[in-house]
Amino acid sequence: MFIKILCILCGAPAELSGERLCRACRAELPVQPAGVCPCCGGAGAVATDCVRCFPRAPAFDSCLSGCMYRYPVDGMIKKLKYLARLDLVHALSRPLLESVHRDMAVPPDCLVPVPMHGTRLRSRGFNQAREIASVLSQRLSLPVDDQLLRRHKPTAYQYELRPEQRKKNVSGAFSLMKTINYKNIAVVDDVLTTGATANELAHLLKRHGARHVQVWCLARAVPAHR
């Protein structure tokens, strides 16, 4: 029996059935443009031209993102996280995979999803970063290590906080669960805004032996420079 797959955005027949998107909606996704800073993903083709990285670059070495965090990607990510729309992971991951294939400078030894505190994980039922990492792992044949890091301190949602509060919110929130056996690590998350969480994790991983830490995220939201 033939089952018609409909586009998750407009309801038209989904030509890209694996992603459940029609070609028109796929073309409308706000993919990350060329010429962004290879370190933080913001404006500036090199870190020395980036108002966010120069003169103080983040602890992570690079940031690869698939899309800009705006319509319709912002709504898709919210549905993924808060309505358990795990079917959206494949559609959202394709632009990130394209960015990885195009711009990745150092191949990672493994993918490490940003951990979720146990209380929130039990409430939500899944960690969206782990789901994203799983799809990337299948497409890139890279291992996923979701046992390396633990979020031992419950934290407020980052989106609820002002940029200057976010660093304090995640400070000391993470710990290692075992010895790091990787030199090059890609930390996987859904959205990167100020980079506070990624920066905290990169500091932790590098203090314990990682040589190169990059961030892979579905979308990049660049706040106004302060």
Side-chain angles (χ1 to χ4, degrees):
M1 182 177 66
F2 176 74
I3 300 177
K4 181 181 289 188
I5 306 297
L6 301 180
C7 176
I8 53 182
L9 291 178
C10 72
E15 299 169 70
L16 304 174
S17 58
E19 302 172 29
R20 295 187 58 199
L21 283 177
C22 68
R23 294 189 184 276
C25 286
R26 174 66 177 83
E28 290 298 315
L29 294 182
V31 296
Q32 189 67 262
V36 298
C37 173
C39 190
C40 75
V46 294
T48 52
D49 292 336
C50 178
V51 295
R52 293 176 53 76
C53 288
F54 184 77
R56 188 176 183 179
F60 50 90
D61 298 281
S62 63
C63 173
L64 294 177
S65 58
C67 292
M68 294 176 283
Y69 190 65
R70 68 185 194 203
Y71 180 85
V73 169
D74 53 355
M76 294 169 71
I77 290 177
K78 289 174 183 176
K79 289 178 180 178
L80 163 63
K81 293 169 67 171
Y82 305 122
L83 298 179
R85 287 288 305 275
L86 301 183
D87 57 311
L88 295 172
V89 174
H90 287 275
L92 288 165
S93 295
R94 178 170 172 174
L96 173 55
L97 284 163
E98 292 173 352
S99 179
V100 167
H101 286 304
R102 182 185 66 238
D103 298 325
M104 179 180 63
V106 178
D109 301 319
C110 76
L111 307 177
V112 176
V114 173
M116 185 178 288
H117 188 265
T119 301
R120 189 167 295 166
L121 180 61
R122 288 189 292 272
S123 173
R124 185 172 296 177
F126 64 95
N127 177 0
Q128 70 276 359
R130 178 64 178 83
E131 299 298 325
I132 298 164
S134 178
V135 170
L136 298 177
S137 172
Q138 294 169 19
R139 300 290 181 87
L140 299 170
S141 299
L142 288 171
V144 177
D145 192 339
D146 60 357
Q147 302 298 313
L148 179 63
L149 297 170
R150 179 172 71 100
R151 188 188 294 249
H152 61 261
K153 185 177 82 173
T155 54
Y157 286 109
Q158 290 287 75
Y159 71 82
E160 297 176 338
L161 304 175
R162 296 190 300 273
E164 61 271 18
Q165 295 175 311
R166 296 185 180 199
K167 181 178 179 180
K168 183 177 180 180
N169 185 47
V170 296
S171 179
F174 303 98
S175 55
L176 284 175
M177 297 295 288
K178 58 184 180 180
T179 301
I180 297 178
N181 293 318
Y182 321 103
K183 292 299 182 184
N184 304 317
I185 295 173
V187 173
V188 178
D189 207 358
D190 54 350
V191 181
L192 190 143
T193 306
T194 64
T197 299
N199 209 49
E200 182 73 13
L201 290 173
H203 274 301
L204 176 64
L205 292 169
K206 287 187 173 182
R207 281 200 308 269
H208 291 85
R211 181 173 59 201
H212 186 278
V213 177
Q214 54 194 301
V215 180
W216 292 3
C217 56
L218 298 180
R220 182 75 168 87
V222 182
H225 177 60
R226 292 173 178 261

